[in-house]
Amino acid sequence: MEIAELAQDIRKPAEMDPKERCILCGSSLERILSGLTDTRFGTPGCHEIRRCRRCGLEQTWPVPSLADLKKLYEAQYNFGGETGTLYTRLREWFFASFLYRLWIRVDGDISFHLRSGSGRLIDIGCNEGRGLRIYARNGFQVEGLELNAAAAAVARRTGFAVHTCLLDDFLPTAAYDVAVLSNVLEHALNPRQMLSDVSRILARGGQVWISLPNSKSRLRRVFGRSWINWHVPFHISHFSAETLRRLLAEAGFLNAQTRQITPALWVTQSFIAWLFAREGRKNAQLRNPFLTLFLMVFAKLVLFPVLWFDNRSGRGDCLLVVARKA
Ligand SMILES: [Zn+2]
């Protein structure tokens, strides 16, 4: 099926899921925002954000089917084909350099790349394995889980074990001490099931490290429909610290430690979406290295006091959570 046909499917909410229920607690939903379009890849189709009347979880509506999402990911996402461009070459050089470690110390570490330790770590949704190299360098015994076969193959070439099955079907030979969900849980069609599976593959006392966009972020209100982290139709759930903590507790995790950061890149991408996104068209400016760098420096230097304050008052753009399996 082609992308245009998939989008046709996504446009028909009634046919996707007639129940219209919260994916966490099954309660009824209320519409809080409509007219959202894909500001990154230009996937055709219009979405809404609906909030659960009971638990407060916000979710993208309609929810695409697993089969549709799989095709969309293969066509558009991450390792979906962009290699060797100026943007990707500069990006890879940057991530391998000492400048990256320096940068995340200043800007915030959305993927836990500064955490050292030991034991068995699995990076769930590891893409082409950039994080695997970093976690291994930080002392962990590292494996990955990645559904995109092309990305998983690249990660394996760097010497890591990368599993390609669904997390639901994953039966590791030994339990892990750490599971990383770096900007992954918000993509899950069933986040409760995902956390329950993470708990299943962790050793007792093992940790889950989660990062995802904060639905209470100030940037969401500033940029409205252009907020980069709506990311429809790929982001299914939009968590706050409260909804995430509740879900973690239900999945058997204790001591959820939450903090917030606002990466300059995320500010930049919301700016670029606001300036350049056109419905149905790929937003090429998101891959413009000069514009990106300029806006990141602007965000860091000029907006620094506001972002600092937001991070400490619950309105940062990225939630970071570390919790321990009971
Ligand atoms: Zn709910």
Side-chain angles (χ1 to χ4, degrees):
M1 193 187 286
E2 297 300 319
I3 291 298
E5 292 174 59
L6 291 173
Q8 287 290 333
D9 278 354
I10 290 168
R11 276 198 209 104
K12 296 181 225 162
E15 290 172 33
M16 295 301 297
D17 186 351
K19 293 192 295 292
E20 302 202 11
R21 294 285 164 179
C22 171
I23 57 176
L24 280 194
C25 74
S27 297
S28 61
L29 304 171
E30 58 183 338
R31 179 170 57 216
I32 55 166
L33 193 62
S34 58
L36 291 176
T37 55
D38 179 356
T39 56
R40 303 189 193 203
F41 309 120
T43 311
C46 202
H47 290 77
E48 296 175 356
I49 302 300
R50 296 190 178 188
R51 180 163 49 209
C52 174
R53 288 192 170 93
R54 182 159 164 258
C55 77
L57 181 82
E58 295 175 357
Q59 66 185 70
T60 294
W61 190 267
V63 181
S65 70
L66 179 62
D68 288 353
L69 273 177
K70 190 166 186 299
K71 286 167 187 145
L72 284 166
Y73 278 106
E74 281 167 6
Q76 306 283 19
Y77 213 71
N78 290 341
F79 208 75
E82 188 188 353
T83 50
T85 63
L86 177 61
Y87 181 88
T88 58
R89 284 204 303 271
L90 283 172
R91 192 177 58 182
E92 289 316 307
W93 170 82
F94 174 69
F95 282 116
S97 74
F98 78 97
L99 284 173
Y100 172 63
R101 295 181 80 83
L102 185 65
W103 172 256
I104 56 179
R105 275 184 197 284
V106 175
D107 190 49
D109 178 17
I110 59 166
S111 298
F112 307 96
H113 286 168
L114 293 172
R115 288 177 82 97
S116 297
S118 59
R120 282 165 53 75
L121 177 150
I122 183 156
D123 184 9
I124 297 167
C126 68
N127 284 321
E128 71 274 30
R130 180 194 305 145
L132 301 181
R133 290 192 290 274
I134 295 172
Y135 302 127
R137 211 164 53 205
N138 291 348
F140 295 98
Q141 203 182 319
V142 172
E143 293 178 19
L145 187 75
E146 173 53 54
L147 277 181
N148 182 325
V154 173
R156 278 194 203 103
R157 261 180 251 143
T158 53
F160 296 102
V162 178
H163 312 274
T164 43
C165 58
L166 286 166
L167 182 59
D168 315 32
D169 305 326
F170 181 46
L171 298 167
T173 50
Y176 297 95
D177 302 296
V178 177
V180 182
L181 291 170
S182 172
N183 293 286
V184 167
L185 191 65
E186 69 276 25
H187 292 254
L189 283 170
N190 189 338
R192 169 179 281 130
Q193 182 62 43
M194 178 172 268
L195 286 183
S196 150
D197 283 317
V198 167
S199 173
R200 175 176 56 80
I201 64 170
L202 278 174
R204 187 180 291 267
Q207 290 188 339
V208 61
W209 301 350
I210 299 171
S211 63
L212 41 72
N214 176 19
S215 69
K216 302 271 196 231
S217 143
R218 181 205 294 269
L219 295 182
R220 159 192 169 148
R221 279 161 184 82
V222 169
F223 288 102
R225 289 180 181 79
S226 300
W227 185 46
I228 198 69
N229 285 315
W230 291 127
H231 195 13
V232 295
F234 298 93
H235 283 183
I236 309 297
S237 304
H238 307 278
F239 290 99
S240 64
E242 294 73 32
T243 51
L244 181 55
R245 267 199 222 103
R246 191 178 310 141
L247 188 60
L248 278 164
E250 283 176 24
F253 288 94
L254 301 171
N255 294 349
Q257 306 288 318
T258 308
R259 56 191 203 90
Q260 303 188 2
I261 55 177
T262 304
L265 180 63
W266 290 20
V267 183
T268 293
Q269 289 180 326
S270 283
F271 258 123
I272 294 177
W274 179 63
L275 288 168
F276 297 105
R278 298 290 175 270
E279 189 176 346
R281 297 225 315 254
K282 188 182 167 85
N283 188 347
Q285 294 304 322
L286 286 169
R287 289 288 184 267
N288 178 334
F290 306 106
L291 179 63
T292 298
L293 193 61
F294 171 78
L295 288 172
M296 281 173 73
V297 170
F298 172 79
K300 209 67 224 167
L301 296 183
V302 179
L303 303 180
F304 167 73
V306 179
L307 302 182
W308 183 89
F309 179 73
D310 286 348
N311 294 339
R312 276 148 194 83
S313 58
R315 290 182 292 174
D317 219 33
C318 177
L319 276 175
L320 298 167
V321 182
V322 172
R324 188 166 54 80
K325 178 179 167 177

